[in-house]
Amino acid sequence: MLDARPVISTHPAPGPVQPYLIFPRPEWAALRANVPQSLGEADIATLRGHNEPVSLEDITEIYLPLSRLLNLHVMATRSLNSMVKSAFMGRPGVTMPFVIGIAGSVGVGKSTFARLLQAVLSRWPDHPNVALVTTDGFLLPTRELEKRNLMHRKGFPESYDLRQMIGFLSALKAGGRNLRVPVYSHEAYDIVPDRYQVIDQPDILIFEGLNVLQTVSEQPFMASDFFDFSIYLDADTKVIEDWYVKRFLLLQKTAFRKPGSYFHHYADLPEREAGQLARDIWRRINLPNLQQNILPTRERARVVMHKSPSHAIDTVWMRQI
């Protein structure tokens, strides 16, 4: 469960306001209200990640209530912006993209979560254009990481082009058109030269990455300054490590076998050695990054979604102060 945090009742006794409303899965599922099921088995099959089971029940009980909450926030933000600009400036407000930040550890399932959330939110008629950008595209190219001796720090805050990341988010919120985001290849483990994802004024932008809630930056702004809502995907650290190792072993049998894969030289390792290697990578790189840079930002998220060892979200923490 959430580390070093007291259990807070959803119906606390009178006294100081508690920082979180806590919803066990059944209580959270009830908040779906009358939101219709919008995805089918075929949709889910194309969106789930490696070794990450997702069911229609998960969509119904977790994603639909979340989409309802986010829809309310989107519509309230639009209404407020329009009202304030009209009343204060005497001119109609311009609708800007509603930005949702999604943070969490390597291996916790952020990518699958973000894809599913994008699919569910895009079914709402109020905001059908939902774009998804991952911070991988803002990683420094391999040649630059090698030049700075940062390959062993890939994923740490210093391995990103923060100026470019903040520039993109700033331009997005300023109403920029046809903004280009570099494309990252997990197979090549590098930025793809001269390839870009084009983002053109979506209704909602989901911005997913390890350190999107970080508070330390050399830039005058941080990524989270541009967020309208933020979500942290959480699980016990040992559980995430086990997921990471299982995913590594699965990729060893699939993606690593491609000749162009950066990790092709690991493809023929015996399973025992591959598992040991995965745990070593986790403990040398991903665990320190989680402990030093990612986990400390969890309290900044508006919603924390905790996953059980089965990958199912079992508890939702919603910050109220």
Side-chain angles (χ1 to χ4, degrees), residues 140 144-156 158-160:
L140 295 168
E144 186 64 26
L145 291 173
E146 290 175 341
K147 179 180 176 182
R148 301 186 190 186
N149 193 29
L150 288 176
M151 281 299 286
H152 65 294
R153 302 278 289 179
K154 197 165 187 177
F156 283 69
E158 62 267 30
S159 66
Y160 293 90

Side-chain angles (χ1 to χ4, degrees), residues 101-264:
I102 297 179
S105 171
V106 168
V108 79
K110 294 186 307 302
S111 296
T112 296
F113 182 88
R115 288 193 299 268
L116 288 166
L117 184 60
Q118 178 188 25
V120 171
L121 287 174
S122 67
R123 264 63 172 185
W124 284 79
D126 301 317
H127 38 71
N129 184 0
V130 182
L132 171 60
V133 169
T134 74
T135 57
D136 292 341
F138 297 102
L139 281 163
L140 295 168
T142 295
R143 66 178 182 278
E144 186 64 26
L145 291 173
E146 290 175 341
K147 179 180 176 182
R148 301 186 190 186
N149 193 29
L150 288 176
M151 281 299 286
H152 65 294
R153 302 278 289 179
K154 197 165 187 177
F156 283 69
E158 62 267 30
S159 66
Y160 293 90
D161 187 335
L162 294 179
R163 182 185 297 274
Q164 186 180 38
M165 182 188 299
I166 298 304
F168 162 73
L169 290 169
S170 178
L172 177 85
K173 278 296 194 178
R177 301 294 305 268
N178 298 313
L179 303 176
R180 301 199 307 177
V181 177
V183 172
Y184 181 83
S185 167
H186 288 276
E187 182 178 326
Y189 204 54
D190 199 359
I191 299 295
V192 181
D194 302 319
R195 280 191 57 192
Y196 300 92
Q197 176 186 6
V198 178
I199 303 297
D200 188 22
Q201 294 186 330
D203 299 313
I204 297 174
L205 176 81
I206 298 173
F207 196 68
E208 175 258 305
L210 299 172
N211 298 298
V212 296
L213 296 178
Q214 73 180 79
T215 58
V216 178
S217 172
E218 295 179 356
Q219 306 302 315
F221 297 100
M222 299 174 292
S224 58
D225 290 333
F226 300 93
F227 296 168
D228 298 286
F229 200 91
S230 52
I231 300 168
Y232 187 98
L233 201 57
D234 192 36
D236 293 350
T237 300
K238 183 61 173 67
V239 170
I240 303 175
E241 177 182 349
D242 291 340
W243 289 342
Y244 176 82
V245 173
K246 289 177 182 177
R247 186 178 70 175
F248 187 95
L249 293 175
L250 178 62
L251 291 172
Q252 187 203 18
K253 297 180 176 67
T254 53
F256 292 0
R257 296 199 172 278
K258 297 179 181 179
S261 171
Y262 180 86
F263 297 102
H264 182 65

Side-chain angles (χ1 to χ4, degrees), residues 41 43-50 52-55 112 115-116:
E41 290 285 4
D43 299 308
I44 295 172
T46 63
L47 295 169
R48 67 167 57 98
H50 296 290
E52 293 177 36
V54 179
S55 66
T112 296
R115 288 193 299 268
L116 288 166

Side-chain angles (χ1 to χ4, degrees), residues 268-287:
D268 295 322
L269 280 179
E271 183 171 322
R272 181 185 177 88
E273 289 184 32
Q276 291 174 339
L277 173 65
R279 289 196 187 278
D280 178 64
I281 294 172
W282 169 264
R283 291 168 182 173
R284 283 188 300 104
I285 301 174
N286 297 314
L287 179 59

